[in-house]
Amino acid sequence: MAVATPKIKLYTNHNCPWAHRAHIALAELNLPYDEEIIDLYVPRTPEFLKINPRGLVPTLEFDGEIITESAIVATFLADAFPSKLWPESTDPQGPLMRAKINFFTDAYFSKAQSHWGKLLVAKTDEEEKTAVTAYIDTIVKEVDPLLVDAAPFFGGSSTLTLAEVLAGSWLLRVYALPSHGLVPLSLLEDLAIRAPNFDRWAKEVIKHPSVRCIWNEEKIIAGTKGWIAKMKASI
């Protein structure tokens, strides 16, 4: 059941791709909310740790209730405010579409995302080449076939679904980082050739206003460079 005029506060950081998921959901559902930016580079304040002991973003305060973990936050919002993001269970096709979205999201994040992470912290050309190949091979095998009917969004939808809400912030990075020299440009060339369904779908997703609602490429690239340097130094 939809909740009328809730009071929503989002604890977030605009550089965080996980927190970005919540922003996409809120934007697409056209929900007003307050936000508090959490600095992820300093110890969390005692006040925030009382709200979320893990100290993570996004953290959603919804009419006094606290909801954490990005996929849970986005799914909760989609459940609370029925829309085309997440078909209702009473819809005859609703349970099937939910299952397909869940399967797709799992395929991308449990199989491809680990290779993307390895690519960002690769220290040698060989490590980079191996990670690029593994990422693209996984997209081709596990993800591209699931997007054959995207029109332009998942499952033939003309509007965003929860699949795009959960993947959008990462797709922005996949398609932006190569032009800034953080990953090889060949990655995008190979995706276009070997995973045409994924490439076509992703390019539609990353230009959608809700997906780009907090996207600041200059700041994201600067932050990503700092994160990569820190991670490589720790390995």
Side-chain angles (χ1 to χ4, degrees):
M1 179 180 296
V3 180
T5 59
K7 183 178 180 181
I8 300 175
K9 182 173 183 178
L10 181 65
Y11 298 86
T12 183
N13 184 290
H14 289 189
N15 285 351
C16 174
W18 303 109
H20 194 154
R21 287 172 154 183
H23 288 275
I24 298 172
L26 288 163
E28 189 63 9
L29 293 168
N30 197 29
L31 294 172
Y33 64 97
D34 297 321
E35 71 173 19
E36 181 174 327
I37 302 298
I38 302 300
D39 188 341
L40 301 179
Y41 295 100
V42 300
R44 308 302 183 266
T45 65
E47 292 78 13
F48 181 58
L49 290 175
K50 287 181 181 179
I51 295 167
N52 182 349
R54 294 183 178 180
L56 301 176
V57 294
T59 295
L60 188 76
E61 187 173 350
F62 189 93
D63 277 346
E65 297 289 340
I66 300 299
I67 302 156
T68 63
E69 303 300 324
S70 62
I72 295 172
V73 168
T75 303
F76 167 78
L77 290 168
D79 273 331
F81 300 91
S83 72
K84 291 184 179 180
L85 280 184
W86 190 234
E88 294 186 72
S89 57
T90 53
D91 181 332
Q93 295 299 312
L96 178 60
M97 181 54 68
R98 288 183 177 210
K100 288 182 176 181
I101 290 172
N102 283 332
F103 185 84
F104 170 81
T105 304
D106 179 74
Y108 184 82
F109 286 97
S110 71
K111 299 183 183 300
Q113 189 65 21
S114 62
H115 300 302
W116 175 255
K118 291 176 183 178
L119 170 58
L120 294 184
V121 299
K123 285 188 171 183
T124 67
D125 290 345
E126 187 61 31
E127 287 180 357
E128 182 180 77
K129 182 179 178 181
T130 298
V132 168
T133 300
Y135 178 78
I136 294 172
D137 285 350
T138 303
I139 294 295
V140 171
K141 179 182 178 181
E142 303 288 352
V143 181
D144 191 68
L146 303 178
L147 294 165
V148 66
D149 61 347
F153 302 119
F154 187 81
S157 177
S158 61
T159 59
L160 294 189
T161 72
L162 198 61
E164 287 80 28
V165 170
L166 297 179
S169 59
W170 294 101
L171 297 175
L172 282 165
R173 287 159 171 80
V174 169
Y175 281 79
L177 268 57
S179 65
H180 295 274
L182 297 183
V183 299
L185 275 171
S186 61
L187 180 143
L188 297 185
E189 297 166 359
D190 288 344
L191 284 176
I193 294 169
R194 298 187 57 207
N197 298 321
F198 176 86
D199 186 60
R200 182 177 60 252
W201 167 77
K203 287 175 178 175
E204 289 295 327
V205 174
I206 64 175
K207 68 183 184 183
H208 193 284
S210 293
V211 174
R212 302 185 71 86
C213 63
I214 61 167
W215 177 251
N216 183 320
E217 189 160 323
E218 182 179 352
K219 288 185 176 180
I220 294 296
I221 295 303
T224 302
K225 287 180 178 179
W227 179 86
I228 289 174
K230 180 179 179 181
M231 292 302 295
K232 285 184 177 181
S234 68
I235 295 174

